[in-house]
Amino acid sequence: MLNYSEAAFYLDGVKYQSHHFTLPLNYDDYTSTPDHVSVYVRELVKAENSDLDLPYLVYFQGGPGFPAARPLSNSGWLKRALDQYRVILLDQRGTGLSSPITTQTIQHLDPIKQAEYLSHFRADNIVRDAEAIRKHFSVDKWAIIGQSFGGFCSLTYLSLFPESLLASYITGGIPSISRNIDDVYHATYKRTLDKNNEFFARFPRAQELCDRIANSLLDHSVTLPNGQIFTVEQFQQMGICFGMAGGPEELYFQLETAFVDVNGQQELGYGFLNYVLSQQAHLTNPLYAILHEAIYCQHNASKWSAHRVRESYPEFNHQKGAPLRFTGEMVYPWFFDQLETLKPLKEAAELLAAKSDWPNLYNADQLAKNTVPVAAATYVNDMFVEFDFSRETLTSIPNSRAWMTTEYEHNGLRVDGEKILSTLISMTEDIKAIQ
């Protein structure tokens, strides 16, 4: 179970303690799948409170496929949390220091074994890891906070182990628990079109710049700093930033400096190309691509849903001479043809896209009788998690409350975390008062 704990260190008045655990790869069939994963958590507590018996709060990161943050200071949501909790930052299995998934770590497996291995890295097993760690710490109950995909994990936790939870705080992460994945992408494409319209209306030169870049990619072979061919489809993916506060502005300023003069010819400059590469998170976090659609699947196959649904929205199928429109947080089969580090995982990705026996992630019956206080910040204009679906889900969960706001984009917790968590904690206290 517990492998070892590292020596603690202190930063900005906070004690940082690391713990490493060895846990089953497959909780459902440990006999036939005896493999293990290493799971890492970082425990934080105010130095002045390190000897106090405080309740725990576990943070579930967004993604999927990203580790917990490495906080540099006692600020934001963490500052508010440390006022009353010990905080557990969990590197979800397959990320960070928890048996990280990279092309190098699984390239020795054939595609069938790759797919089988990767199938154990969804929210259900992430939650089972957390539950095993709770038991090791001999904690009766703890609170959880989930951002984006972390909120999906929170609903899985509420479905599987509600008796282990004091409260659940969710930010930008209430999924539909029953809708088909195609419904999700129809809603997402519509939101993304709205964000495109806002962007091009706000920045008058943006359309000209984007079309010029797209034409350059169609007319010339352009490579990114890692040697990867840069395509229009990859350029369109940069629209993911539309869902984040400050993202559209950052993208526009990059577009302004995209071209440089080289011997009298205008070419895409290294600075811009390096920026593009830095935004391709799938290269360094392949789980983000491989399991992105699987997070919506319960006893059904994704069959490359975003790719199929895209045909209903011709605005995104760019042709030369047409105004370019950006896509967003969608995953496409061409990722595994174009993105260098994903190419060796192409066959495994195809197998996972065809997999139809994914187990349920949510227990609707359990959620319908929920007694755990749940407070959710739901963002009306969220580009990634459909607001109407979030509201639909929350109406079926007793003892839940939603803070429905237009004040924040999807990254609200990062932008104004102290206020958001304070509000959610107050909301759960109100729920407890009337239970």
Side-chain angles (χ1 to χ4, degrees):
M1 177 60 177
L2 177 65
N3 271 7
Y4 62 96
S5 298
E6 298 178 13
F9 65 87
Y10 294 81
L11 179 63
D12 198 18
V14 177
K15 179 182 178 182
Y16 288 60
Q17 179 81 59
S18 297
H19 308 283
H20 299 259
F21 298 87
T22 298
L23 300 172
L25 172 68
N26 183 357
Y27 284 89
D28 291 328
D29 191 4
Y30 180 65
T31 302
S32 62
T33 313
D35 295 331
H36 292 80
V37 291
S38 175
V39 177
Y40 170 83
V41 301
R42 194 186 303 272
E43 178 183 355
L44 277 65
V45 64
K46 277 186 178 180
E48 63 197 64
N49 295 337
S50 59
D51 293 329
L52 299 181
D53 185 21
L54 297 175
Y56 283 80
L57 174 67
V58 184
Y59 176 71
F60 290 96
Q61 174 68 35
F66 294 93
R70 271 54 178 170
L72 302 179
S73 64
N74 183 10
S75 60
W77 73 265
L78 181 64
K79 180 180 179 181
R80 176 62 186 88
L82 289 173
D83 284 343
Q84 68 186 78
Y85 290 109
R86 290 178 179 268
V87 173
I88 297 291
L89 300 178
L90 168 68
D91 277 359
Q92 298 163 10
R93 55 167 56 196
T95 75
L97 294 173
S98 296
S99 293
I101 298 294
T102 67
T103 301
Q104 299 99 305
T105 60
I106 61 172
Q107 64 183 355
H108 64 286
L109 301 174
D110 65 48
I112 293 175
K113 290 182 178 179
Q114 286 178 348
E116 166 61 23
Y117 184 69
L118 292 165
S119 71
H120 299 294
F121 287 76
R122 295 200 309 162
D124 48 356
N125 287 316
I126 292 170
V127 165
R128 290 183 177 108
D129 289 341
E131 183 65 1
I133 293 168
R134 180 192 66 81
K135 292 178 179 178
H136 170 78
F137 282 153
S138 298
V139 174
D140 181 38
K141 294 186 178 185
W142 57 17
I144 57 176
I145 176 171
Q147 157 64 17
S148 189
F149 170 69
F152 292 28
C153 294
S154 298
L155 287 196
T156 301
Y157 214 140
L158 287 162
S159 296
L160 295 179
F161 307 108
E163 68 282 354
S164 301
L165 301 178
L166 293 168
S168 174
Y169 314 115
I170 299 174
T171 61
I174 298 289
S176 171
I177 62 174
S178 60
R179 285 181 176 268
N180 184 275
I181 185 173
D182 287 7
D183 292 341
V184 172
Y185 280 107
H186 276 293
T188 302
Y189 276 117
K190 291 172 184 175
R191 290 281 183 181
T192 304
L193 275 176
D194 290 342
K195 295 291 188 179
N196 271 273
N197 293 336
E198 293 173 10
F199 177 74
F200 288 111
R202 183 178 181 190
F203 298 105
R205 284 194 64 212
Q207 191 68 69
E208 169 202 343
L209 293 168
C210 289
D211 294 347
R212 187 180 170 198
I213 292 169
N215 289 340
S216 180
L217 297 176
L218 291 171
D219 293 339
H220 308 284
S221 178
V222 179
T223 57
L224 296 176
N226 67 340
Q228 175 181 301
I229 299 296
F230 183 28
T231 65
V232 172
E233 294 92 346
Q234 292 173 42
F235 180 43
Q236 288 178 287
Q237 286 291 118
M238 296 181 71
I240 191 173
C241 71
F242 291 168
M244 307 292 185
E249 296 87 346
E250 179 179 314
L251 176 59
Y252 179 71
F253 293 140
Q254 290 291 333
L255 296 175
E256 284 186 322
T257 59
F259 286 94
V260 297
D261 186 278
V262 180
N263 296 325
Q265 299 292 322
Q266 291 286 298
E267 298 180 5
L268 290 170
Y270 181 87
F272 176 72
L273 296 174
N274 194 54
Y275 174 75
V276 171
L277 183 63
S278 73
Q279 302 305 298
Q280 293 188 353
H282 305 288
L283 288 169
T284 53
N285 301 78
L287 276 182
Y288 188 33
I290 294 168
L291 292 184
H292 199 278
E293 292 200 341
I295 69 174
Y296 300 106
C297 294
Q298 301 184 94
H299 295 288
N300 62 292
S302 71
K303 301 177 183 177
W304 297 114
S305 178
H307 181 67
R308 290 183 291 100
V309 172
R310 182 173 176 162
E311 295 304 314
S312 300
Y313 302 90
E315 300 92 334
F316 295 109
N317 297 319
H318 183 71
Q319 302 292 326
K320 193 169 185 179
L324 181 122
R325 288 295 178 266
F326 290 98
T327 53
E329 197 183 31
M330 296 82 170
V331 171
Y332 302 105
W334 59 257
F335 278 24
F336 299 87
D337 296 316
Q338 293 189 19
L339 304 186
E340 284 299 318
T341 59
L342 298 187
K343 290 178 180 179
L345 304 177
K346 178 179 174 64
E347 292 181 68
E350 292 288 351
L351 291 170
L352 291 171
K355 181 178 172 64
S356 60
D357 60 348
W358 293 107
N360 280 347
L361 293 167
Y362 313 112
N363 183 329
D365 292 338
Q366 176 59 49
L367 291 173
K369 57 184 180 183
N370 174 65
T371 60
V372 179
V374 178
T378 53
Y379 308 130
V380 175
N381 299 315
D382 199 320
M383 186 171 121
F384 307 124
V385 179
E386 174 55 41
F387 171 74
D388 289 337
F389 295 172
S390 296
R391 184 168 55 178
E392 179 182 84
T393 296
L394 287 168
T395 60
S396 68
I397 303 177
N399 294 296
S400 68
R401 286 191 179 181
W403 172 22
M404 303 177 189
T405 176
T406 60
E407 186 176 352
Y408 303 104
E409 294 289 346
H410 188 70
N411 60 340
L413 189 65
R414 188 182 311 156
V415 172
D416 199 8
E418 187 173 1
K419 175 183 175 182
I420 288 175
L421 183 55
S422 291
T423 301
L424 297 183
I425 290 175
S426 294
M427 290 166 64
T428 60
E429 293 302 320
D430 290 343
I431 295 170
K432 292 175 186 177
I434 61 175
Q435 279 182 325

